[in-house]
């Protein structure tokens, strides 16, 4: 084993956009996107180069333990990987090559290139790992290229958030549960806030009052009300995704258990509309102004960094069609149906394309994936995306790991003294599976050497 | 089982072109393409329609035995499946969608459509089967879409005829062996014929004599000699592919064991150039004029029907890059190296594209396919394509079947009183595997019903 285990290639997908789409605007909810600094370059092919990033996270601990090389591959059309430079997003003709299949093919070519060019890498096993959309790609990569990666860790990968594989209301129901459990009357306060906003925005005076009470950067007019409610709803969704047990800075700088902090302001739903909205502002302020730097709240921003929202908006309008809906009963939001036709029309107006809602499940199998092997699906129970994840074992080698106190891919984050035991256990199990895949790989390789195939 | 087994969808790929490329022209060696008559139509999507054909072959017997529905899916860009009508072959932009991946996606969509629209089909298992390129597609389809087909029969599928997975000389070596074993001095006569042609074509008189001796439709000039030798070589290749134990009409109307018949004229290599070439003509005549209808031999034709040579020529110039070579020692042909650069330049001149010789093994795994299941690879030992086939079991469910007296996908042909026992056994094994896949499918389906997943 000694020589063989020297170099394990461990491929991580830096995929910047798992998204929820709230009509009428297509918005992005962020995903794994850590602060980056370029450290070295390899020429992959004539027109491309690849960058390596130094960061901290679970992957670094794992790489150390498994004596692995860690490669972050940037997804085409994101970051600097623009196939047509500044024209890449010009029109649907230029965007034609932005598909998950093309991204997987890139990773296949990249790994072959790395194995050819890095001394000692040729016969080493590779493991794919990623979170959110990157987790979906990791799982799909193992399914489609099992000859290239020995296994995949798919963290918070909602591979069932398509077609009619799960009910469209599951996502927002989990968001609601997070708030309900984080403070008395918290979700109920939010549920009542929508009508309060509707009533207040009926008059010019009410609009001026709302602008001031919510400290908005730009004055509201009656046209903005849907946008205001979408922006607030997305804020609650984001808080659910990043409800981590310690202070963090993923979508925004936030305190530990930020929903609990926000819910401290939302303990009484039975107050006047204006008091309720003042409380809502305090809760929003936890998300938007934890650092105390914000002069006002800007409705056009929900995250501090660009997370590739353009790319994801196009992908959501082609293959990544994720149905979402609310009914106001099982969740704390205003009722809204999933309307594929309206979604499709929006896509056509924006990108000149129409979505293919069933393609992802046709291509990757939907729930019917039992013939594949060596994929670990991890999900946090607090994470709204867990509703579209694989949360029960499918076979001995298609395994689900549930992190009861985890939000969006908590397991991929750097270890922290405040980590709950559920994520510590998850990481241990994940490393155990990876070791098994590597061991099996060398077992097979040994046999194949013997029979000279 | 009763109700469940009523309708088994059995998908067959009618794929019209497994090809060998002999410089300087890109030529097609045919594949499964049986006489067709359209019997019914289904609208698959707005712009497409699908045709069903009545034919005879192994598939019909199997479908009957397994109570299966049989579907022949035409490959895009072949036959009537032209995505841009008459412009489909206009330029590389229009040809951009002619890839094996796109074809597999078509089959996935087709099966989903059939399951949706045919009463009772929804929960039935599907098996992919095909021969030659169609066999490659069947195997790859199972690899990439295991959630859609429970298994695949890949007959005479040279999935290793790529990259440097096998030596490039294997193919022509098998052709040579077929001739050597079919008559004394047969391959030796052919080996000597090339220099005889070279010598005879040195003079105008020799060229005129050759034109007459070979009964060519058009007079030879000195520029045509390489073409003449390529045409003759391709004839021997074709004979090796269709060296069936009974009279047949696949590439040409032919007698039983046509190589044996041709070799009757090639028993003496130690004769003058002109006698040798007269013998060569007699042997060629077995292939081109068994029916006795030909007035002259036409060097621009090697098969009686169009087998999609245009489409395959383009595919060979993009992803289906199959290296072939000869050395004149292990084979009976003039030595010729595999020259990727020249091949690429020819492709660029003809189609405006350059090949990607490693892509197929990157995409489908090359020899490293052991993580897949439920594929039977059958090969005939007489078939030159068997050199690029899977001829040894890889796992319990990736199985090789060798037909010692079989040429190109003999097992897929209709049963015949002259069938050798090796093909009878092969067919029995193949049906046995299919039954196992179906049984396992229903076993799984039962379990899944129980746990309501």
């Amino acid at each position: 084993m000694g020589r063989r285990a020297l170099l394990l290639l461990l491929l991580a997908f830096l995929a910047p956009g798992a998204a929820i789409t709230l009509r009428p605007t297509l918005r992005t909810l962020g995903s794994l996107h850590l602060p980056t600094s370029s450290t070295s370059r390899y020429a992959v092919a004539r027109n491309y180069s690849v960058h390596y990033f130094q960061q901290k996270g679970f992957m670094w601990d794992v790489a150390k333990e498994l004596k692995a090389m860690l490669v972050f591959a940037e997804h085409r059309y994101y970051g600097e990987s623009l196939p047509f430079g500044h024209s890449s997003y010009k029109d649907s003709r230029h965007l034609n090559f932005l598909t998950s299949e093309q991204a997987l093919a890139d990773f296949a070519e990249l790994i072959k290139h790395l194995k050819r060019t890095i001394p000692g890498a040729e016969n080493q096993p590779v493991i794919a790992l990623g979170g959110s959309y990157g987790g979906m790609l990791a799982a799909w990569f193992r399914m489609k290229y099992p000859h290239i990666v020995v296994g995949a860790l798919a963290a918070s990968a909602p591979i069932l958030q398509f077609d009619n594989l799960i009910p469209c209301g599951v996502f927002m129901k989990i968001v609601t549960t997070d708030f309900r459990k984080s403070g008395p009357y918290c979700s109920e306060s939010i549920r009542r806030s929508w009508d309060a906003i509707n009533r207040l925005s009926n008059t010019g005076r009410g609009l001026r009052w709302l602008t001031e009470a919510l400290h908005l950067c730009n004055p509201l007019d009656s046209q903005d009300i849907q946008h205001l409610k979408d922006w607030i709803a997305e804020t609650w969704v984001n808080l659910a995704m990043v409800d981590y047990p310690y202070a963090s800075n993923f979508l925004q700088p936030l305190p530990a258990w930020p929903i609990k902090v926000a819910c401290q302001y939302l303990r009484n739903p039975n107050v006047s509309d204006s008091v309720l909205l003042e409380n809502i502002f305090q809760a929003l302020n936890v998300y938007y102004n934890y650092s105390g730097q914000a002069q006002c709240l800007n409705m056009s921003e929900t995250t501090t960094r660009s997370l590739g929202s353009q790319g994801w908006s196009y992908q959501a309008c082609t293959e990544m069609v994720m149905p979402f809906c609310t009914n106001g009963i099982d969740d704390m939001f205003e009722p809204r149906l999933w309307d594929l036709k309206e979604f499709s029309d929006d896509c056509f107006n924006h990108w000149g394309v129409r979505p293919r809602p069933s393609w992802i499940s046709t291509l990757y199998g939907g729930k019917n994936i039992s013939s594949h092997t060596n994929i670990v699906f991890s999900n946090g129970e607090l994470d709204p995306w867990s509703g579209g994840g694989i949360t029960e074992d499918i076979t001995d080698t298609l395994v689900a790991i549930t992190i009861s106190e985890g939000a969006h891919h908590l397991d991929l984050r750097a270890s922290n003294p405040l980590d709950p035991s559920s994520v510590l256990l998850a990481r241990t199990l994940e490393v155990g599976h990876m070791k098994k895949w590597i061991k099996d790989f060398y077992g097979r390789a040994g046999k194949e050497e013997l029979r000279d195939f």
Side-chain angles (χ1 to χ4, degrees), chain A residues 2-25:
Chain A
R3 183 181 55 80
R4 280 170 166 172
L6 268 177
L7 183 70
L8 158 70
L9 293 174
L10 201 136
L11 185 84
F13 301 103
L14 180 67
I20 177 179
T21 305
L22 291 165
R23 285 178 309 122
T25 48

Side-chain angles (χ1 to χ4, degrees), chain A residues 209-230:
Chain A
W209 184 88
L210 262 177
T211 302
E212 220 163 287
L214 298 177
H215 292 61
L216 299 179
C217 298
N218 299 305
L220 282 174
D221 76 36
S222 56
Q223 309 272 303
D224 299 329
I225 297 309
Q226 190 57 52
H227 181 194
L228 172 70
K229 291 186 289 187
D230 286 343

Side-chain angles (χ1 to χ4, degrees), chain A residues 62-324:
Chain A
V62 164
K64 213 169 180 182
E65 183 168 352
L66 301 182
K67 300 191 185 108
M69 173 179 168
L70 189 58
V71 178
F72 270 70
E74 188 171 74
H75 191 297
R76 55 166 62 199
Y77 285 86
Y78 289 87
E80 297 174 31
S81 299
L82 300 173
F84 302 108
H86 294 304
S87 306
S88 301
Y89 278 84
K90 200 172 136 196
D91 52 37
S92 62
R93 249 190 68 218
H94 287 81
L95 281 161
N96 218 5
F97 307 93
L98 171 49
T99 69
S100 58
E101 265 184 303
Q102 294 274 356
L104 298 183
D106 287 340
F107 301 143
E109 290 283 13
L110 173 63
I111 293 170
K112 280 202 132 181
H113 169 80
L114 294 172
K115 289 197 159 196
R116 259 196 315 270
T117 53
I118 297 174
E122 187 73 44
N123 298 311
Q124 302 302 318
V126 183
I127 291 173
L129 49 88
S132 201
Y133 174 45
M136 289 156 54
L137 291 170
W140 293 337
F141 194 57
R142 169 64 190 170
M143 295 179 196
K144 297 295 189 185
Y145 294 83
H147 52 289
I148 294 185
V149 284
V150 297
L153 169 58
S156 299
I159 63 168
L160 304 181
Q161 190 76 45
F162 296 99
D163 227 352
N164 50 4
L165 297 175
I166 56 160
C168 57
V170 165
F171 185 94
M172 294 302 243
K173 202 170 154 183
I174 297 172
V175 175
T176 302
T177 303
D178 289 349
F179 280 79
R180 199 180 57 237
K181 289 187 170 173
S182 296
Y185 299 106
C186 188
S187 62
E188 195 50 33
S189 299
I190 291 171
R191 181 181 282 115
R192 297 204 178 184
S193 70
W194 314 114
D195 272 349
I197 293 172
N198 292 340
R199 282 187 293 267
L200 284 164
S201 59
N202 266 339
T203 65
R205 199 172 140 250
L207 288 168
R208 283 191 298 278
W209 184 88
L210 262 177
T211 302
E212 220 163 287
L214 298 177
H215 292 61
L216 299 179
C217 298
N218 299 305
L220 282 174
D221 76 36
S222 56
Q223 309 272 303
D224 299 329
I225 297 309
Q226 190 57 52
H227 181 194
L228 172 70
K229 291 186 289 187
D230 286 343
W231 172 73
I232 294 173
E234 194 180 332
T235 307
W236 308 141
V237 166
N238 283 357
L239 276 167
M241 283 173 58
V242 297
D243 195 26
Y244 295 129
Y246 46 79
S248 66
N249 182 3
F250 178 22
L251 304 177
Q252 291 275 1
L254 288 174
W257 298 119
I259 297 185
K260 259 190 197 132
V261 179
C263 284
Q264 287 173 357
Y265 301 100
L266 298 170
R267 287 175 174 181
N268 196 349
N270 298 314
V271 290
S272 67
D273 289 350
S274 52
V275 171
L276 183 59
L277 264 295
E278 278 165 354
N279 294 344
I280 290 284
F281 165 72
Q282 295 297 336
L284 290 171
N285 216 33
V286 172
Y287 183 78
Y288 288 108
N289 199 19
Y290 181 60
S291 65
Q293 305 289 306
Q295 302 292 317
C296 58
L297 304 192
N298 187 343
M299 273 169 46
S300 62
E301 285 171 15
T302 51
T303 60
T304 48
R305 286 188 296 269
S306 160
L307 294 172
S309 60
Q310 281 279 91
W312 188 260
S313 158
Y314 175 81
Q315 289 194 266
C317 276
T318 47
E319 51 179 20
M320 299 296 162
V321 187
M322 297 179 160
F324 294 102

